[in-house]
Amino acid sequence: MDETVAALRERPYYDGQIRDHRTVSGREATTRELDTSDRLASALADRGITELYDHQAKAIEAVRDGQNVVLATPTASGKSLAYTVPAFERAMDHTGTTLYVGPQVALINDQRETLSDLADGLGFGSRVTVDEYTGQLSRSQKEAVRERQPTVLLATPDMLHYGILPHAHRLWDWFFERLETVVIDEVHAYRGVFGSHVSLVCRRLNRICERFGADPEYVCCSATISNPVEHAATVAGRDPESFTLVDTDTSASGPTHWVWWNPPEREKGGFDDGSRRRSSHVESKRLFCDLVSRGHQTVVFTPSRQTAERYATDSSQALRERGDHDAAGAVEAYQAALRDDRRDDIEAGLKSGEVRGVWSTNALELGVDIGGLDCVILDGYPGTRMNAFQQAGRAGRGTDPSLVVAVPGEDQLDQYFARNPADFFDGDPEQAVSNPTNDQLLPEHVRSAARETWLKPDDDRHFGDGFPDLVTHLESQGLLDRRSAADGTRWIDGGDGSPQHEMSLRTVSDRDIELTDRRNGEIIASLPFEDGLRDAHPGAVYHHQGQTYEVVDLDLRHDIAELEPTWADYYTRTLHEKEITVERDIRESELAARPNVPVRFAEVTMRKQITGFERRDANTGETLDEESLDLPETTLRTRALYFTVSDDLDRALHEGGDLPGGIHAAEHAMISMFPAELLCDRGDIGGLSTPLHPHTGRATIFIYDGYPGGVGLVRAGYETVDAHMARTLSMLRACPCEDGCPACVQSPHCGNANSPLDKGLAALLLDGLTEE
């Protein structure tokens, strides 16, 4: 790989982009024997496994001892054996059952193949049978699974939610009566809205287990995060003290070459759109084509589906223009919206080597087996160190050297780590956050629980301190019915329909917009309502599967957007206005350096109105024109932290000439640094700054959780607000620009076209709030 990096330095487009090149050493494996049955030992040996890694053995021993386990080690460290061995042992010994929960059907399919192969190796009469139960199965196939009564059942949280728990007593009693192990794979993925939903599903699962007299151990597999035990306990609904943590990776690995490749600054002159560097997408495409041409199987991880589609097409064309037609025909785009069979084909092609290169969203980040890659390119910082290392972990074949190239964009965190790569490698992992007390999600889960098995007063153990008040409210609405029994009060669901089927775990919204191709009426995608207003408004440019479309009509009576192909060489970005109302303050604290500046955590309502959109040149980012839109206002009831500007700082900002620009820039900068501490995307956090807010009567900065009810992100930010402000100030001071740029205070999500912004006054404000 040293030769490959040297060859990249010789390319015509090289202009000093390599800011850091270091090699993370490989390691030898630490293994030991583990006593298990002859039959299982033989099946493992037939697959080349005669000893286990030490971390695998520790996890297995903890499960055998009746403990819950969190196994937090990197990608490709063999975490699956930690639950496979106890699951198979319990099935072989006394037909004990295991429930495996994975976040994606692709991961379920991959695990089913692996576990089924090992189960087949046990021979006849082992009692180990493996089946999946997902939405891909037909009704008759699902009936066949239940008739076979597998001892290892694989399902998504969605199927557990609406396909298994509602029928636990009628169709699945045989399974829950013998349930001894619950596997939550990729537990770090259960964060935000999805994680909050899944946390509540697990609480419903725990109630069902209690009803059947089962008390299963949880085995939670995680990437490296800062709070693996706390997070696993939150998701599983178990006491953190009941978990054993195994977080030392003892598997073998080869050396990994890490290169931070910062796109060069634009040449002076010409149109200045505020961006200072060339596109990370273009740089990544050049690197991708060079690496694939040199015979290195390469995956580019990029932030959005449309970018993956567009640049896979562009890369294939570039390789064709080089005369490398074989490679050009072996480039694919991979993203979650693809059909299952299409994703399966690409995964199989990567594993076999037929696919030479892929542009992928983070859909390929999770533990689907695609073999080992030679190179990984990170097109833009993935948002968190955890995501970066998860994606980078796809590179490496055994102990062979591998290459990871990080190509930062212009966002604040991207450039912060490009300037400070040591902070990337040496910094603490981020926290994973979910919120099972979210008052927007709890009611329907409590109703679902009541439909699955009656509620009792002591179910506050599962649903929190607000459970009694919530039950009273639901009863008053006719959604729960009270019953008196010999052993106390009970409640059953009193509403119509099925709360499980009416609730999606992947979103808070129950309204989607379907995107259809006007030529044939085919549905090409479906977006949550607010995303649809942003991405599928009339005039919007939308990329899908190598095709660029323009939205020609948005019918909100039927929630359908009609698209037609276009050759547009521009992209679109919406403009919006918003306001925030404080409903109630929940907590209040003081800044350490400024006791006279209270910081409050509050319940708020945010109202947002999309007012229009800009068309921007695809190459320069220049605004070509603006067009107004007439779309409905959206409302978000959520949680926020907010603080005011003290009198002396208010005067200083006014004297500086641009108080609105100063607080607006500080708001953007603080939001941009949230992913340095928490597992989230910058788009998960919103903000508003105003020179005079009616609730406070002062200049005020709000930072709010972007999901109804809040999913814990801003709550965590509130608890560390002093450190967060200090980190944000450090980022501002390190950026070499004078007036503000995408690497410090400009935001791609700003609905006011990044105006006004004043970087200097933002630094002055944060300095005044943090320096004692």
Side-chain angles (χ1 to χ4, degrees):
M1 286 300 172
D2 281 318
E3 293 180 3
T4 298
V5 174
L8 294 177
R9 291 181 186 271
E10 299 300 321
R11 296 295 292 153
Y13 58 82
Y14 184 73
D15 189 21
Q17 287 99 319
I18 295 180
R19 299 296 300 272
D20 187 75
H21 177 199
R22 66 184 68 195
T23 303
V24 178
S25 301
R27 63 179 172 271
E28 295 183 358
T30 302
T31 62
R32 60 185 169 99
E33 294 183 355
L34 183 74
D35 185 29
T36 190
S37 71
D38 291 342
R39 180 182 275 195
L40 181 55
S42 175
L44 290 170
D46 289 344
R47 286 148 185 82
I49 304 170
T50 55
E51 291 186 319
L52 298 185
Y53 298 132
D54 188 63
H55 65 271
Q56 294 172 326
K58 286 181 178 178
I60 292 167
E61 289 168 346
V63 177
R64 286 175 172 176
D65 289 341
Q67 301 170 48
N68 297 318
V69 172
V70 186
L71 184 56
T73 54
T75 302
S77 58
K79 289 191 283 284
S80 61
L81 272 183
Y83 55 77
T84 300
V85 169
F88 279 30
E89 287 178 337
R90 291 170 175 184
M92 294 166 68
D93 184 66
H94 50 269
T95 329
T97 60
T98 292
L99 173 65
Y100 170 98
V101 181
Q104 291 183 350
V105 172
L107 184 58
I108 297 285
N109 294 340
D110 182 74
Q111 286 294 300
R112 185 205 66 231
E113 292 181 9
T114 301
L115 296 177
S116 295
D117 176 70
L118 182 59
D120 291 344
L122 297 174
F124 179 74
S126 71
R127 297 180 179 172
V128 179
T129 52
V130 180
D131 262 311
E132 69 173 69
Y133 201 79
T134 69
Q136 288 184 324
L137 304 185
S138 66
R139 183 173 181 176
S140 61
Q141 288 173 321
K142 290 175 182 175
E143 290 175 355
V145 170
R146 297 194 298 269
E147 289 174 3
R148 287 194 292 269
Q149 297 195 3
T151 48
V152 180
L153 183 71
L154 296 86
T156 61
D158 314 78
M159 184 56 71
L160 178 62
H161 158 63
Y162 68 78
I164 297 176
L165 292 180
H167 311 293
H169 296 276
R170 186 169 61 88
L171 301 176
W172 296 94
D173 53 335
W174 56 271
F175 184 78
F176 287 108
E177 287 169 352
R178 309 198 309 264
L179 183 59
E180 298 187 14
T181 315
V182 176
V183 179
I184 308 293
D185 203 0
E186 309 284 352
V187 70
H188 58 273
Y190 299 115
R191 58 188 191 267
V193 169
F194 185 40
S196 301
H197 270 302
V198 174
S199 297
L200 289 164
V201 171
C202 286
R203 282 151 178 76
R204 289 161 45 200
L205 169 63
N206 294 339
R207 293 180 71 253
I208 293 291
C209 290
E210 290 175 0
R211 181 72 171 152
F212 283 99
D215 186 22
E217 281 80 47
Y218 275 84
V219 182
C220 299
C221 298
S222 175
T224 302
I225 56 178
S226 68
N227 60 336
V229 170
E230 174 195 355
H231 181 62
T234 298
V235 172
R238 297 297 205 200
D239 184 350
E241 296 295 325
S242 70
F243 280 88
T244 294
L245 174 64
V246 179
D247 60 355
T248 300
D249 183 10
T250 56
S251 63
S253 67
T256 302
H257 291 254
W258 274 87
V259 171
W260 277 86
W261 178 285
N262 206 12
E265 294 190 6
R266 296 179 185 272
E267 295 181 3
K268 302 295 183 182
F271 174 75
D272 181 10
D273 67 338
S275 59
R276 301 176 61 246
R277 297 187 179 276
R278 290 210 301 252
S279 164
S280 66
H281 307 321
V282 174
E283 293 289 300
S284 295
K285 184 185 80 171
R286 288 169 166 171
L287 291 164
F288 175 84
C289 292
D290 281 341
L291 292 171
V292 169
S293 290
R294 290 178 65 87
H296 297 305
Q297 192 181 42
T298 303
V299 166
V300 182
F301 284 100
T302 195
S304 73
R305 290 178 295 188
Q306 296 195 55
T307 302
E309 295 286 354
R310 173 183 172 184
Y311 281 93
T313 302
D314 288 357
S315 298
S316 182
Q317 179 62 31
L319 287 166
R320 197 168 285 110
E321 290 171 357
R322 294 184 182 194
D324 197 343
H325 295 280
D326 290 342
V331 173
E332 302 283 359
Y334 185 99
Q335 40 95 353
L338 295 179
R339 298 188 314 272
D340 293 332
D341 58 343
R342 186 75 188 100
R343 288 202 303 267
D344 291 344
D345 289 344
I346 296 172
E347 292 160 15
L350 281 169
K351 197 169 183 179
S352 69
E354 292 180 11
V355 173
R356 302 262 299 270
V358 170
W359 282 75
S360 175
T361 64
N362 62 2
L364 203 55
E365 179 183 314
L366 298 180
V368 177
D369 183 9
I370 56 171
L373 306 169
D374 299 310
C375 305
V376 164
I377 299 171
L378 308 180
D379 175 24
Y381 179 60
T384 67
R385 294 181 192 83
M386 187 214 73
N387 291 117
F389 285 114
Q390 279 283 101
Q391 293 174 6
R394 286 302 195 177
R397 301 175 188 273
T399 57
D400 291 342
S402 59
L403 173 65
V404 178
V405 185
V407 185
E410 288 197 297
D411 287 356
Q412 291 89 333
L413 272 179
D414 294 55
Q415 289 303 311
Y416 178 80
F417 286 126
R419 292 189 291 267
N420 304 281
D423 286 359
F424 171 78
F425 290 104
D426 301 335
D428 294 330
E430 301 87 356
Q431 291 184 58
V433 178
S434 63
N435 179 21
T437 64
N438 182 304
D439 58 13
Q440 303 286 307
L441 307 183
L442 261 172
E444 292 307 300
H445 281 281
V446 167
R447 280 192 60 205
S448 298
R451 184 160 287 240
E452 290 152 7
T453 183
W454 57 64
L455 294 171
K456 300 182 294 183
D458 66 354
D459 278 326
D460 58 358
R461 297 176 296 119
H462 299 292
F463 298 116
D465 295 338
F467 175 73
D469 291 340
L470 176 57
V471 167
T472 300
H473 173 71
L474 292 174
E475 188 178 350
S476 71
Q477 298 293 310
L479 298 174
L480 288 180
D481 289 338
R482 179 191 293 259
R483 296 286 187 270
S484 295
D487 53 352
T489 303
R490 302 288 183 265
W491 292 271
I492 61 174
D493 182 51
D496 297 327
S498 167
Q500 296 96 332
H501 284 84
E502 294 167 3
M503 171 176 42
S504 168
L505 301 187
R506 307 281 172 160
T507 180
V508 180
S509 171
D510 58 359
R511 185 178 180 185
D512 293 331
I513 293 176
E514 291 185 341
L515 279 58
T516 63
D517 189 324
R518 172 173 272 193
R519 296 171 298 178
N520 51 29
E522 179 183 350
I523 297 173
I524 62 173
S526 179
L527 297 174
F529 183 72
E530 289 197 18
D531 291 352
L533 295 182
R534 182 193 65 211
D535 295 338
H537 58 78
V541 171
Y542 190 87
H543 298 282
H544 180 75
Q545 285 289 282
Q547 176 67 59
T548 301
Y549 294 90
E550 181 179 3
V551 179
V552 293
D553 183 61
L554 176 60
D555 178 0
L556 292 179
R557 288 178 301 173
H558 302 95
D559 290 339
I560 294 175
E562 290 189 343
L563 290 70
E564 62 183 18
T566 180
W567 294 100
D569 57 355
Y570 56 83
Y571 63 94
T572 52
R573 180 179 292 176
T574 57
L575 303 171
H576 64 252
E577 297 175 352
K578 56 187 172 184
E579 63 181 37
I580 285 180
T581 303
V582 177
E583 305 295 344
R584 66 183 179 98
D585 291 326
I586 300 171
R587 293 188 227 166
E588 180 178 320
S589 61
E590 296 174 342
L591 291 176
R594 281 277 183 157
N596 64 329
V597 177
V599 180
R600 296 183 177 93
F601 179 62
E603 181 180 337
V604 302
T605 299
M606 188 278 294
R607 294 175 177 83
K608 178 178 176 180
Q609 177 73 62
I610 293 177
T611 58
F613 68 98
E614 297 176 323
R615 292 183 177 89
R616 294 192 169 197
D617 186 277
N619 296 313
T620 68
E622 177 184 2
T623 300
L624 303 175
D625 64 4
E626 291 184 15
E627 190 170 324
S628 59
L629 291 169
D630 182 17
L631 295 174
E633 178 183 83
T634 57
T635 300
L636 174 69
R637 187 78 168 252
T638 187
R639 300 290 190 268
L641 69 83
Y642 71 96
F643 57 92
T644 58
V645 178
S646 60
D647 290 338
D648 59 325
L649 290 172
D650 189 281
R651 286 192 298 272
L653 294 177
H654 272 108
E655 290 169 2
D658 189 9
L659 181 145
I663 60 176
H664 192 193
E667 169 216 323
H668 280 189
M670 286 185 66
I671 290 171
S672 75
M673 297 303 285
F674 261 74
E677 302 163 14
L678 303 169
L679 288 181
C680 66
D681 181 82
R682 186 166 69 173
D684 296 333
I685 310 292
L688 174 70
S689 52
T690 174
L692 181 66
H693 193 271
H695 181 74
T696 63
R698 292 175 173 272
T700 307
I701 294 177
F702 290 88
I703 296 176
Y704 62 85
D705 200 311
Y707 298 100
V711 292
L713 296 172
V714 171
R715 181 193 64 213
Y718 166 81
E719 292 168 353
T720 60
V721 67
D722 292 282
H724 187 78
M725 286 181 174
R727 184 191 288 265
T728 303
L729 178 60
S730 174
M731 180 272 292
L732 289 177
R733 287 173 169 168
C735 184
C737 78
E738 294 182 5
D739 301 322
C741 68
C744 58
V745 297
Q746 293 179 8
S747 169
H749 304 290
C750 183
N752 297 304
N754 283 302
S755 178
L757 292 174
D758 191 309
K759 173 189 175 182
L761 292 182
L764 185 151
L765 172 62
L766 292 171
D767 180 73
L769 294 174
T770 58
E771 299 292 334
E772 298 187 25

